[in-house]
Amino acid sequence: MRAVVVEQWGGPENLVEREVERPEPGLNEVLVRVHAAGVNPVDWKTRASGALIEWGTVPVVGWDVSGTVEAVGPGVGVFRPGDEVFGMPLFPRQAGGYAEYVVAPARHLAPKPAGLTHAEAAALPLAALTAWQALVDAADVRPGERVLVHAAAGGVGHFAVQIAKARGAYVIGTASAGKHDLVRALGADEVVDYRAVRFEDAVSDVDVVLDGLGGETAARSLKVLRPGGRLITLPGPDDVPAAQDGVRAAWVLVEPDHLGLREIAALVERGALKPVVETVLPLADAAKAHELGEQGRTTGKIVLTVA
């Protein structure tokens, strides 16, 4: 099968399309013919250094996939060949999403949301699950609470705005001025231009902050939280500031989540969640996709088409 392999850790030019052996499903696993693969910051960060991930013998990047079940291994009762599925299998172990076929534990996938193309569905798993697990599982956002989402037009951020709104929250997003219309269209009640004003001077009395930036943004976010507020940061455990004034701060690392995927699909199917796909490229252009992503200006998601 075709796959994009990492020939050596480093720049995007090290992503090369090769013929590799097709995997076979084992106990409780399914073989998925990949139609589209989502591109995420973790893809280019791990491609650059090889750190953090448990790699296979042949390193193949990518976790977000949408496709069709080709075969099922012994013990699988939830899917059968021909089913359309999406998911983020095996993270943080190698899944090999930039390929024609992926083997995944059955419970790391869910039925593809009706009405979405495979490219749209492949944009969902890692980013939408991150937002879901941060806002719902970790922060337990409730109706009427004030939620601040940093980088609200980005991959995780644009899903977080919609999920928080679906939970009944009052949503505030930070974004550059050119992206304010999009963030409002996603459901934000307020949008702050972080280039024109320090967000802590414009926002206060927040119950939950979702910080996908880390560094000083996480520390500054403490200033906008009410006593008892929750700060959820995503970049890494070193970005969690010391809590104060009864504020709780935590780091969330996304994990495969069959039930979370089903909840996300349900939001999509009732019109409460929609992926924004800015760029769609063929699998052979994976290096170009990484180059675009590393510029840090993507609105929504970048997706590779495979089949």
Side-chain angles (χ1 to χ4, degrees), residues 19-115:
E19 286 290 325
V20 302
E21 186 176 353
R22 194 180 87 170
E24 296 297 332
L27 289 170
N28 290 328
E29 292 181 334
V30 299
L31 176 68
V32 177
R33 184 184 183 203
V34 179
H35 292 267
V39 178
N40 295 287
V42 69
D43 297 6
W44 57 79
K45 290 176 182 178
T46 56
R47 178 221 71 223
S49 67
L52 303 176
I53 302 302
E54 296 179 25
W55 296 101
T57 304
V58 179
V60 179
V61 182
W63 286 271
D64 280 350
V65 295
S66 180
T68 305
V69 174
E70 184 85 0
V72 301
V76 174
V78 291
F79 297 118
R80 57 187 177 183
D83 288 345
E84 293 187 318
V85 296
F86 78 123
M88 182 203 71
L90 297 172
F91 187 82
R93 291 179 289 143
Q94 175 174 315
Y98 294 8
E100 289 185 296
Y101 293 91
V102 162
V103 158
R107 296 286 178 173
H108 288 189
L109 304 167
K112 182 178 77 68

Side-chain angles (χ1 to χ4, degrees), residues 64-295:
D64 280 350
V65 295
S66 180
T68 305
V69 174
E70 184 85 0
V72 301
V76 174
V78 291
F79 297 118
R80 57 187 177 183
D83 288 345
E84 293 187 318
V85 296
F86 78 123
M88 182 203 71
L90 297 172
F91 187 82
R93 291 179 289 143
Q94 175 174 315
Y98 294 8
E100 289 185 296
Y101 293 91
V102 162
V103 158
R107 296 286 178 173
H108 288 189
L109 304 167
K112 182 178 77 68
L116 290 190
T117 66
H118 283 290
E120 291 171 323
L124 282 167
L126 191 147
L129 276 178
T130 297
W132 180 270
Q133 291 172 6
L135 293 176
V136 179
D137 297 339
D140 189 23
V141 170
R142 299 179 182 182
E145 289 194 313
R146 290 168 58 84
V147 175
L148 172 62
V149 177
H150 288 301
V156 173
H158 87 285
F159 289 129
V161 168
Q162 297 175 80
I163 290 170
K165 197 64 186 175
R167 301 279 290 181
Y170 183 92
V171 183
I172 308 162
T174 66
S176 59
K179 298 179 179 180
H180 282 202
D181 287 346
L182 169 65
V183 176
R184 288 194 181 96
L186 294 172
D189 299 283
E190 294 181 36
V191 190
V192 176
D193 182 356
Y194 67 91
R195 294 177 176 172
V197 63
R198 290 174 66 85
F199 67 84
E200 63 267 41
D201 295 333
V203 181
S204 61
D205 294 324
V206 170
D207 296 286
V208 176
V209 176
L210 179 60
D211 165 40
L213 302 173
E216 67 166 12
T217 301
R220 289 164 54 198
S221 293
L222 292 176
K223 300 176 183 178
V224 309
L225 284 165
R226 295 173 174 169
R230 292 92 77 198
L231 167 64
I232 309 298
T233 191
L234 304 175
D238 293 339
D239 291 291
V240 180
Q244 55 189 10
D245 298 328
V247 169
R248 180 168 66 86
W251 170 55
V252 167
L253 177 65
V254 68
E255 60 183 309
D257 183 354
H258 174 79
L259 293 178
L261 289 171
R262 283 187 171 274
E263 294 283 2
I264 288 163
L267 287 178
V268 171
E269 289 169 357
R270 76 168 196 248
L273 184 69
K274 180 174 177 60
V276 174
V277 178
E278 181 179 78
T279 303
V280 178
L281 295 168
L283 180 65
D285 285 345
K288 181 178 179 181
H290 279 217
E291 290 170 2
L292 289 172
E294 287 179 300
Q295 293 173 10

